[in-house]
């Protein structure tokens, strides 16, 4: 939430910082601003609305400016307004700060600063930062510090509680910018005679592949030719850069109207990427090169806890069925934001699996820390390399879905499913002597999945035509049983997020216990019927909703003529093993949400009120 970028070097800083910022617009988009240093000194320009709303205000700014920071906001404290937009400045207007995160003790700090004569202009928590730096700067200068602003920043951050990724520019130090982080991401892109900063790696890919990932309580001074890192207590830090191998084009729209459609269509390739190098020529899943635990440790696990938010949680829903079927181990699935407040029971025999696209979701990260403190082994399923969860987990299995830009997750979800299947199969292999009876057919069927998802995507036209009929529907129900219910949850979330139509997923057997009362003439009910052993039960549920006037839309296996006969609309997806059907069955639901939202003229890639990476609790 909130995106930060910056540039310092020999090129024009303003267009570079803005160009990077546009790539982060998915992180928040209710207001935006820049701070730049040029011959006229420190200037701050900000506006309500998307980044484009800055363009007219920036006319004539930035010529010869070699240092700039920029911010796109997702409001937490204070409604979207120009005053609340970042950057925020101190009383003198010489220090500007952009921030992602929440300063939890800002009220007490604000009261103290106001009592000392500081004037505040916004309702934000962030504004205490420039004023605190201003206050500490005087002391640091008086103490003869070599870099007084860095010392003032350290003193400031020692006073604050909460989470932050920040960038600071000051007219006092026109040759460098400063950065710091705790619990919110920030990376420094390394160039020749220039440096970039950004909240997220995709913003840097057009300029560099070499990045320094800031860790908690790191403070950096970044000039065109140097990056100096210290800890909050002043201890110097040496950190090796990370080489990013993502394709820069993967973070562009590539001719599609929306990132979402592009990312849906990328799934055959991303599924292949998730599996690449993880299946031996003999058809065995082998993750030992990536997740290395002694065999006895794998065998000693007596419980698996999956923990995640949103779409990643729904991937966990499917994985729970899969793991229990394959491993015959108890599997718990936890919403990360609830997990730690429940005081969960974890020990060294628990394998905790956080699932996260961004690797930065605050709730999931908090769950990782709690699990580690309690002695569990944490194995993260993470997309973004170098992200907090990837670094803090004991082991990581990357999903390799490439950058996902649309706020609504699609390709990351199917890659999470694949990574979880791989993990389950690996665990099955190391936990039992010899091969698990289900392993061989599952691995074989997984290798065919990219082609099957390609076929599922051929439903594009059918779904597009169907979507026109539902743009006026206030509600959708999405029903499924077993693994189909896991997919229903994800399908309903997609509808809500981007079309703003209320979508409710229900375990089909639950309808008659209450929700059936909501079904009336024309209520759209999406019925997933891809699980062979549950199909007959599902047929009964479809008949129940049809009898109450529902318009039934079924997602069925290609050869299921019986279900097709009793519904109003049918989408056929190719057949694979029931355990793997979620990967195929979710595709038409992603497409349906996309086309309904498109017909309604929604902001598909950046739906209202949401942000891609949820770094606040
Ligand atoms: C998915 O469409 C959502 N945008 C959201 O639910 C997301 O999956 C959730 O916030 C978790 O994010 P993460 O995978 O980056 O941790």
């Amino acid at each position: 939430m909130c995106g930060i970028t910056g540039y310092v070097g020999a090129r024009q800083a303003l267009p570079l910082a803005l160009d990077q910022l546009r790539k982060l617009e998915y992180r928040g988009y209710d207001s935006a601003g820049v701070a730049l240093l040029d011959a006229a000194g420190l200037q701050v320009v900000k506006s309500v609305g998307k980044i484009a709303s800055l363009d007219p205000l920036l006319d004539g700014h930035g010529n010869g400016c070699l240092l700039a920071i920029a911010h796109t906001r997702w409001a937490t404290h204070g409604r979207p307004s120009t005053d609340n937009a970042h950057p925020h400045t101190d009383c003198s207007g010489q220090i500007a700060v952009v921030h992602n995160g929440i300063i939890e003790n800002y009220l007490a700090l604000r009261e103290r600063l106001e009592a000392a004569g500081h004037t505040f202009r916004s309702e934000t928590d962030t504004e205490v930062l420039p004023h605190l730096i201003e206050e500490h700067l005087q002391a640091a200068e008086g103490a003869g510090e070599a870099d007084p602003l860095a010392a003032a920043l350290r003193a400031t951050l020692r006073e604050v509680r909460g989470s932050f990724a920040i960038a600071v520019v000051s007219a006092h130090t026109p040759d460098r910018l400063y950065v710091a982080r705790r619990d919110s991401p920030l990376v420094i892109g390394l160039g020749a005679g220039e440096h970039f900063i950004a909240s997220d790696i995709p913003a840097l890919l057009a300029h560099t592949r070499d990045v320094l990932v800031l860790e908690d309580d790191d403070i950096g001074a970044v000039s065109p030719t140097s990056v100096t890192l210290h800890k909050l207590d002043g201890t110097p830090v040496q950190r090796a850069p990370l080489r990013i191998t993502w394709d820069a084009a993967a973070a562009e729209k590539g001719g599609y109207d929306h990132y979402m459609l592009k990312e849906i269509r990328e799934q055959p390739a991303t599924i292949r990427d998730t599996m690449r190098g993880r299946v031996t020529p003999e058809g065995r899943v082998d993750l030992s090169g990536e997740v290395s635990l002694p065999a006895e440790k794998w065998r000693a696990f007596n419980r698996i806890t999956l923990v995640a938010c949103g779409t990643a949680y729904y991937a966990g829903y499917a994985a729970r069925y899969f793991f229990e079927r394959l491993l015959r181990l108890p599997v718990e699935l936890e919403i990360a934001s609830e997990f730690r407040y429940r005081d969960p029971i974890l020990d060294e025999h628990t394998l905790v699996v956080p699932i996260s696209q961004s690797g930065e979701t605050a709730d999931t990260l908090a769950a990782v820390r709690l699990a580690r403190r309690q002695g569990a082994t944490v194995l993260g399923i993470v997309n973004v390399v170098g992200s907090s969860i990837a670094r803090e987990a004991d082991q990581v299995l990357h999903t390799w879905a490439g950058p996902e830009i649309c706020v609504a997750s699609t390709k990351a979800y199917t890659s999470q499913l694949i990574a979880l299947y791989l993990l389950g199969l690996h665990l099955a292999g190391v936990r039992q002597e010899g091969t698990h009876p289900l392993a061989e057919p599952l691995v074989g069927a997984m290798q065919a999945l990219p082609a099957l998802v390609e076929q599922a995507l051929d439903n594009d036209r059918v779904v597009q035509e169907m979507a026109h009929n539902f743009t006026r529907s206030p509600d959708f129900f999405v029903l499924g049983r077993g693994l189909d219910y896991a997919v229903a949850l994800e399908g309903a979330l997609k509808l809500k997020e981007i079309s703003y139509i209320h979508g409710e997923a229900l375990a089909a057997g639950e309808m008659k216990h209450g929700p059936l009362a909501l079904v009336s003439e024309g209520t759209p009910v999406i019925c997933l019927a891809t699980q062979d052993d549950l199909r007959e039960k599902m047929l009964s549920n479809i008949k129940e909703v049809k009898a109450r006037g529902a318009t039934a839309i079924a997602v069925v296996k290609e050869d299921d003529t019986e279900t097709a006969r009793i519904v109003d609309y049918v989408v056929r997806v190719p057949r694979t093993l029931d355990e793997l059907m979620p990967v195929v069955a979710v595709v038409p639901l992603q497409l349906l949400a996309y086309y309904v939202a498109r017909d309604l003229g929604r902001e598909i890639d950046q739906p209202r009120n949401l942000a891609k990476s949820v770094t606040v609790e």
Side-chain angles (χ1 to χ4, degrees):
M1 334 207 99
C2 297
I4 291 176
T5 61
Y7 174 84
V8 57
R11 291 195 274 165
Q12 295 286 344
L14 181 61
L16 284 166
L18 282 174
D19 186 51
Q20 292 177 78
L21 193 67
R22 278 181 217 107
K23 300 203 166 70
L24 292 184
E25 200 159 31
Y26 60 85
R27 296 180 69 88
Y29 28 84
D30 58 48
S31 51
V34 293
L36 51 99
L37 267 170
D38 62 12
L42 178 66
Q43 296 170 57
V44 171
V45 178
K46 43 198 203 172
S47 163
V48 186
K50 295 197 163 202
I51 297 163
S53 62
L54 286 174
D55 292 345
L57 306 175
L58 284 169
D59 239 10
H61 282 78
N63 258 342
C65 144
L66 307 177
L67 195 165
I69 56 174
H71 186 267
T72 181
R73 182 170 184 247
W74 184 86
T76 58
H77 292 58
R79 72 202 151 78
S81 71
T82 305
D83 281 342
N84 289 336
H86 300 214
H88 293 285
T89 51
D90 65 329
C91 296
S92 68
Q94 300 292 291
I95 300 166
V97 177
V98 292
H99 169 221
N100 168 28
I102 292 179
I103 307 298
E104 288 166 3
N105 56 335
Y106 82 102
L107 275 176
L109 291 168
R110 183 171 174 146
E111 273 170 28
R112 189 189 90 199
L113 289 159
E114 281 177 332
H118 290 263
T119 308
F120 282 72
R121 301 177 200 91
S122 78
E123 305 157 278
T124 65
D125 52 329
T126 303
E127 201 182 350
V128 297
L129 296 173
H131 292 284
L132 279 173
I133 298 170
E134 180 182 26
E135 202 173 68
H136 288 297
L137 187 59
Q138 281 175 9
E141 281 168 348
E145 289 280 355
D147 186 341
L149 206 116
L153 184 55
R154 285 199 298 272
T156 295
L157 297 178
R158 280 198 292 264
E159 285 203 74
V160 304
R161 284 202 312 275
S163 59
F164 52 80
I166 59 170
V168 184
V169 288
S170 163
H172 303 282
T173 49
D175 62 331
R176 77 200 85 145
L177 54 86
Y178 295 84
V179 289
R181 78 153 266 173
R182 183 187 296 155
D183 292 345
S184 297
L186 202 68
V187 292
I188 303 174
L190 308 176
E194 59 185 1
H195 287 122
F196 307 82
I197 59 160
S199 300
D200 216 347
I201 290 167
L204 302 175
L205 291 179
H207 305 289
T208 180
R209 299 311 179 89
D210 297 315
V211 302
L212 274 179
V213 180
L214 287 194
E215 294 187 3
D216 279 355
D217 292 338
D218 280 350
I219 295 187
V222 185
S223 79
T225 51
S226 68
V227 176
T228 316
L229 293 183
H230 285 91
K231 284 308 212 197
L232 259 187
D233 62 6
T235 318
V237 174
Q238 296 299 328
R239 174 123 351 104
L242 206 66
R243 181 103 185 129
I244 303 298
T245 53
W246 281 355
D247 177 6
E252 304 291 339
K253 266 194 210 153
Y256 287 92
D257 289 343
H258 298 99
Y259 282 111
M260 183 173 181
L261 190 56
K262 174 176 178 260
E263 288 162 1
I264 291 173
R265 293 200 160 277
E266 278 172 356
Q267 289 177 109
T270 48
I271 289 169
R272 219 172 268 124
D273 289 344
T274 311
M275 286 200 286
R276 182 161 294 129
R278 290 166 166 174
V279 180
T280 66
E282 300 75 46
R284 216 169 22 85
V285 171
D286 183 5
L287 306 177
S288 52
E290 300 169 75
V291 287
S292 50
L293 284 176
E296 50 288 5
K297 181 90 184 159
W298 286 116
R299 288 193 196 110
F301 291 129
N302 57 18
R303 193 154 38 113
I304 298 176
T305 299
L306 304 162
V307 61
C309 302
T311 286
Y313 173 78
Y314 296 145
Y317 221 103
R320 182 169 68 177
Y321 283 94
F322 184 79
F323 282 13
E324 285 183 342
R325 206 171 282 183
L326 192 68
L327 304 168
R328 303 308 300 151
L329 265 184
V331 180
E332 285 161 6
L333 174 67
E334 305 274 358
I335 293 175
S337 56
E338 294 294 319
F339 182 61
R340 69 174 153 151
Y341 300 108
R342 234 171 29 74
D343 196 9
I345 299 156
L346 307 165
D347 60 26
E348 74 272 25
H349 299 305
T350 317
L351 177 65
V352 173
V353 182
I355 310 161
S356 176
Q357 188 287 128
S358 63
E360 301 293 350
T361 300
D363 291 316
T364 313
L365 182 58
V368 168
R369 291 175 178 167
L370 174 73
R372 292 198 67 199
R373 275 201 304 278
Q374 296 201 1
T377 298
V378 177
L379 192 161
I381 304 284
V382 180
N383 194 35
V384 177
V385 177
S387 60
S388 301
I389 295 173
R391 283 183 290 107
E392 293 196 27
D394 299 301
Q395 310 279 329
V396 190
L397 194 61
H398 284 106
T399 46
W400 301 125
E404 187 179 65
I405 309 294
C406 178
V407 167
S409 188
T410 51
K411 64 175 182 172
Y413 170 77
T414 43
S415 283
Q416 283 161 353
L417 289 176
I418 299 293
L420 286 159
Y421 293 149
L422 290 170
L423 177 62
L425 286 160
H426 179 79
L427 261 161
V430 289
R431 280 175 68 85
Q432 73 162 53
E433 303 302 330
T435 323
H436 192 288
L438 283 177
E440 203 185 307
L442 278 168
V443 174
M446 279 176 73
Q447 285 168 322
L449 278 175
L452 300 189
V453 169
E454 200 75 66
Q455 284 176 46
L457 284 165
D458 290 342
N459 282 302
D460 190 285
R461 178 50 57 94
V462 172
V463 175
Q464 200 171 330
E465 279 166 10
M466 189 197 304
H468 298 315
N469 302 309
F470 298 106
T471 49
R472 283 162 199 254
S473 306
D475 301 291
F476 267 89
F477 288 97
V478 192
L479 308 187
R481 284 172 173 264
L483 279 161
D484 278 337
Y485 174 50
V487 179
L489 288 161
E490 173 58 6
L493 179 66
K494 287 289 92 74
L495 268 167
K496 278 184 265 212
E497 278 186 293
I498 59 162
S499 71
Y500 314 153
I501 294 178
H502 170 240
E504 187 169 347
L506 284 155
E510 273 296 291
M511 277 303 268
K512 56 188 171 295
H513 297 288
L516 198 55
L518 294 169
V519 174
S520 61
E521 204 54 42
T523 304
V525 181
I526 301 172
C527 307
L528 288 138
T530 76
Q531 298 293 298
D532 286 345
D533 54 344
L534 294 167
R535 200 182 61 89
E536 284 185 359
K537 296 254 177 301
M538 194 60 209
L539 274 178
S540 306
N541 297 132
I542 297 174
K543 285 182 181 151
E544 282 160 16
V545 293
K546 280 295 299 164
R548 273 95 189 158
T551 301
I553 305 146
V555 177
V556 299
K557 284 180 173 157
E558 55 203 342
D559 48 5
D560 180 355
T561 47
E562 200 182 352
T563 312
R565 264 202 304 273
I566 61 163
V567 294
D568 302 277
Y569 299 90
V570 67
V571 184
R572 294 187 170 81
V573 289
R575 169 180 281 279
T576 179
L577 297 178
D578 279 2
E579 288 83 352
L580 307 182
M581 277 312 290
V583 178
V584 182
V586 78
V587 173
L589 302 189
Q590 295 170 337
L591 288 170
L592 181 68
Y594 174 78
Y595 284 116
V596 170
R598 202 184 70 170
D599 284 351
L600 289 167
R602 305 296 194 221
E603 287 267 14
I604 292 180
D605 287 331
Q606 294 161 356
R608 69 183 180 204
N609 307 337
L610 302 181
K612 182 75 182 159
S613 179
V614 186
T615 53
V616 293
E617 285 186 51

